[in-house]
Amino acid sequence: MERFRNSCVWVIKVAMFIIPFIPLYVSRSLFFPFITGKAFLFRVLVEIMFAAWIALMFFYKEYRPRKSLLLYALLAFLLVITLASIFGVNPSRSFWSNFERMEGLLAHFHLFAYFLVAAHVFRKNDWMIFFNLFIVAGLGQNIVALLQKIGIVASPQGGARTDGTIGNATYVAAYSLFVLAISLLLFLRTKVTFARIWYGFMALFTLLTIYFTATRGATLALFVGVLVSGILYLFMQKNATSRERKYKKIVIGALAILILVAGSLFLFKESSFVKGNNVLSRLASISLKEGQSRFLIWNMGWQGFKARPVLGWGLENYNAIFAKHYDPRLYSQEPWFDRSHNIIFDWLINAGILGLLSYLSIFVAALYVLWKRYGTIPDTDGEKRTWLKTAILISALFFVYGLQNLFVFDQFTTYMSFFSVLAFVHTFSAELPKQKHELKTPLRAQESLRWAGVGGAILALVLIAYFVNYRPVQVNRNLLKAFQGSSESNASATFNRFQEALRFGPLGKVEVLEQFARFTIALFNSPNTEQSLREGAFERIVAELKQGEKAAPYDPKISLYLGAVYMQAGLFEEAVATFEHALVLSPRKQQIYFEVGDLYIRQGDYARAEELLVKAFELEPKYNQARVNAVAGYILNNHQEKADALLIKSDGRVDVAEIILAQVYARKKDYPRLLA
């Protein structure tokens, strides 16, 4: 039995020690390579760990869950988001999410399983190894970010901001906050000079990486977090020794320098030095004016929350809120949002007030058990001073993490890091001094039933791995191959790839349908495509999109795909009905008015086209594209005087250089205006 126990523990620890390196993994063979590969690898490792842990629990009492307020908070949170997903507007999407996010209820189940295993198997030495590996992985991320900054390695998104192997500068900054905190944590908990130099170097290197990302939310949160933690240390640390008094002076000096540097940045933000630096100019631009788009998005989230305040709309359903309460002033932003970019509104929408309260309870519970652990250490014990610094640092980390999430949202690397710290807190808070949890001998009663339980755990692992990982990976790979091979010569093979992707669903189905719809439209534009292939693709995509409309009754994007397919096939009545349905779901989205107006123009119904295009312009008169489209609508419907009046009002002249107006005048054969 001892060999069995050691084998299970060994399997768990190997998997755990791989996890810190997952942020460095990029799978080029998968769609959304910076996201999906990391998530699938994490899920496989967690499933293996969890099965081994279940086996251990059957025989050894010390591995069973220990009572903790933090454990109860996580259980309550998981229960609430499960109910919210079941009773939400799209349970399938809530459970599976999509390839771009790889979150949903399924991800939260894995995170909770990860917490359980790490919190009940790892001991003090294990955590030291894990956190050191976490820092080594952070070093890899820092090096990639540095190479991107100096131009040796290409940045995935381009531009001046570095995005590492995570693929997004904001995500890199959020992840780096955890690397920074853990580097400082180990710096405080070791007395070995070389180790302190290493941890100090990593802290400074990670600060440089955060600077390279030019992420304003993370930078602001870090600044406030350092101030709060410094003040907390000054008030709580006693002046018992000369060394402690010296440390307090150092902290006071560091806080003063920090405030001076931050103040100077804003004081001289108009200087050539700041404006000439891409990073500094971006950081100096923090203001309420810069956050206007965020405020509009948050207001939309608030409107959605009021409609379903208790359990919300279900995980991953912000797109329904965005469509229904879309603010036309967001015309300059990306066309569709699936997050409110604010953790408060995200959870209010995902799971209502119960979801937000249960989420916040995780932080409250973690801080409670952390400081309770500190309170159990005698004042005479030197460990108490170390634990004070640890408690302050982890508290500051939670504060900074929560504050920066007011401007962004979580993703795999931050979730993994956050739950790792939660498991660490649970390990040392649930296992209080003078309590013995380890039993060196296995429980013998009903041993055969326990072995049956082990067999059941292994069988469950295989089934979960097949449905949760293997099948979604097949969807992803077929989608990527279809996307990459969607040329005229490979049309038949591409069609088969899309059908294979749909067969292995449902994860990523909306993304498959989007690309499949584009492919089908391309077939209608290709004169060399066989008629049978065109008809086959058309019938399949229409059937799938209609099913998608039923599964996601609040999502206008699926109706837009369907309408575009109908329009390309020449089925104008069906296209109009579909676009009008999308307009009902999102009555203030200018893009939909443009689509429907274009369709009426193709049919020659200029009166209806003018009505829709003018309505889109009136939703937000500052939107230049909507203004030009309204002018085009006026011209086509023989209301040239209205078009001229609008042009003169906005541009001071009627011969405005816009390609759409040139096309309209050509269509009307008004050659003098076309020449002008």
Side-chain angles (χ1 to χ4, degrees), residues 141-142 145 162 172 176 204-214:
Q141 196 70 237
N142 291 344
T162 58
V172 172
S176 297
L204 293 174
F205 197 0
T206 305
L207 275 174
L208 187 64
T209 297
I210 296 173
Y211 171 78
F212 287 156
T213 67

Side-chain angles (χ1 to χ4, degrees), residues 17-93:
F17 294 151
I18 293 173
I19 284 175
F21 295 95
I22 294 180
L24 297 174
Y25 175 55
V26 178
S27 177
R28 301 292 181 181
S29 62
L30 294 176
F31 200 61
F32 286 109
F34 293 94
I35 299 167
T36 51
K38 294 177 176 63
F40 281 126
L41 178 57
F42 176 74
R43 291 178 186 184
V44 169
L45 291 173
V46 169
E47 288 156 14
I48 293 172
M49 291 163 47
F50 192 71
W53 179 64
I54 292 292
L56 283 174
M57 282 203 305
F58 278 115
F59 291 96
Y60 299 94
K61 188 176 181 180
E62 69 263 32
Y63 295 108
R64 296 178 182 179
R66 298 188 294 275
K67 294 179 181 180
S68 164
L69 187 63
L70 178 55
L71 178 60
Y72 295 149
L74 286 168
L75 278 170
F77 173 69
L78 196 63
L79 175 62
V80 169
I81 64 174
T82 300
L83 293 174
S85 299
I86 292 172
F87 296 106
V89 298
N90 190 344
S92 177
R93 182 182 176 91

Side-chain angles (χ1 to χ4, degrees), residues 123-198:
R123 301 296 183 258
K124 183 176 181 179
N125 290 337
D126 301 320
W127 280 115
M128 286 299 295
I129 297 172
F130 178 86
F131 283 144
N132 273 286
L133 293 175
F134 192 94
I135 293 175
V136 171
L139 174 64
Q141 196 70 237
N142 291 344
I143 291 173
V144 173
L146 178 61
L147 294 177
Q148 288 176 342
K149 187 63 179 178
I150 61 180
I152 295 178
V153 174
S155 175
Q157 292 189 349
R161 304 172 67 193
T162 58
D163 37 29
T165 60
I166 298 176
N168 184 293
T170 303
Y171 298 166
V172 172
Y175 164 74
S176 297
L177 291 175
F178 284 92
V179 178
L180 173 63
I182 292 173
S183 298
L184 293 174
L185 176 67
L186 297 187
F187 177 87
L188 295 174
R189 295 185 69 89
T190 185
K191 296 181 180 179
V192 179
T193 302
F194 175 79
R196 290 175 69 88
I197 293 173
W198 159 243

Side-chain angles (χ1 to χ4, degrees), residues 306-607:
K306 289 192 296 184
R308 299 173 69 102
V310 180
L311 283 174
W313 294 69
L315 274 64
E316 301 293 328
N317 287 318
Y318 179 78
N319 57 331
I321 304 295
F322 186 82
K324 184 177 181 179
H325 299 285
Y326 177 77
D327 192 312
R329 289 174 290 178
L330 288 169
Y331 64 87
S332 62
Q333 301 295 315
E334 59 184 274
W336 300 99
F337 279 72
D338 63 353
R339 297 288 192 278
S340 67
H341 292 72
N342 178 287
I343 198 66
I344 303 297
F345 287 109
D346 275 339
W347 283 116
L348 284 175
I349 294 162
N350 288 340
I353 190 66
L354 294 181
L356 176 62
L357 292 177
S358 61
Y359 173 75
L360 295 177
S361 74
I362 297 173
F363 290 87
V364 174
L367 292 173
Y368 172 80
V369 295
L370 179 68
W371 285 96
K372 182 180 179 181
R373 174 71 175 94
Y374 165 73
T376 61
I377 302 174
D379 288 338
T380 56
D381 194 338
E383 180 70 7
K384 192 173 185 69
R385 289 191 295 272
T386 301
W387 257 101
L388 174 62
K389 298 171 185 176
T390 300
I392 291 175
L393 182 59
I394 294 178
S395 299
L397 172 61
F398 288 155
F399 178 80
V400 172
Y401 169 61
L403 186 59
Q404 68 97 31
N405 267 354
L406 294 178
F407 307 98
V408 70
F409 49 86
D410 272 312
Q411 35 74 42
F412 165 73
T413 55
T414 53
Y415 271 131
M416 179 272 291
S417 305
F418 179 51
F419 275 77
S420 297
V421 176
L422 289 179
F424 171 76
V425 171
H426 180 274
T427 300
F428 289 97
S429 60
E431 194 171 357
L432 298 175
K434 299 181 180 180
Q435 291 183 349
K436 300 294 183 180
H437 289 281
E438 295 190 10
L439 302 177
K440 300 301 182 182
T441 58
L443 300 174
R444 301 178 186 228
Q446 300 178 333
E447 188 168 323
S448 60
L449 291 177
R450 289 185 170 82
W451 280 113
V454 172
I458 294 174
L459 177 61
L461 168 66
V462 173
L463 292 174
I464 291 172
Y466 175 75
F467 287 104
V468 169
N469 299 305
Y470 174 77
R471 290 179 66 89
V473 166
Q474 297 310 308
V475 175
N476 192 292
R477 286 181 172 172
N478 278 289
L479 171 58
L480 180 62
K481 290 177 181 178
F483 181 76
Q484 293 173 336
S486 56
S487 63
E488 190 173 323
S489 59
N490 296 322
S492 180
T494 300
F495 177 45
N496 291 332
R497 289 291 186 187
F498 279 121
Q499 294 195 95
E500 280 294 291
L502 290 169
R503 184 171 71 87
F504 282 105
L507 176 56
K509 187 172 183 178
V510 173
E511 287 142 321
V512 174
L513 292 179
E514 178 181 357
Q515 299 304 325
F516 192 4
R518 295 178 187 275
F519 167 73
T520 305
I521 291 171
L523 290 182
F524 279 95
N525 289 325
S526 175
N528 299 324
T529 302
E530 295 181 7
Q531 185 64 23
S532 59
L533 176 60
R534 188 182 293 124
E535 291 176 354
F538 174 78
E539 291 176 2
R540 183 65 192 274
I541 189 61
V542 168
E544 293 290 345
L545 286 171
K546 285 184 176 180
Q547 289 183 7
E549 282 185 319
K550 294 179 181 178
Y554 294 91
D555 188 355
K557 288 179 67 178
I558 297 177
S559 297
L560 290 176
Y561 304 149
L562 181 57
V565 172
Y566 277 141
M567 184 168 65
Q568 201 62 47
L571 300 175
F572 293 111
E573 290 186 8
E574 290 84 349
V576 167
T578 306
F579 281 138
E580 294 281 6
H581 174 66
L583 204 53
V584 171
L585 297 177
S586 188
R588 289 155 58 84
K589 181 72 173 172
Q590 296 103 322
Q591 177 190 348
I592 304 178
Y593 284 92
F594 298 161
E595 296 284 356
V596 185
D598 182 56
L599 184 57
Y600 279 115
I601 289 173
R602 294 190 184 200
Q603 289 183 287
D605 188 347
Y606 299 138

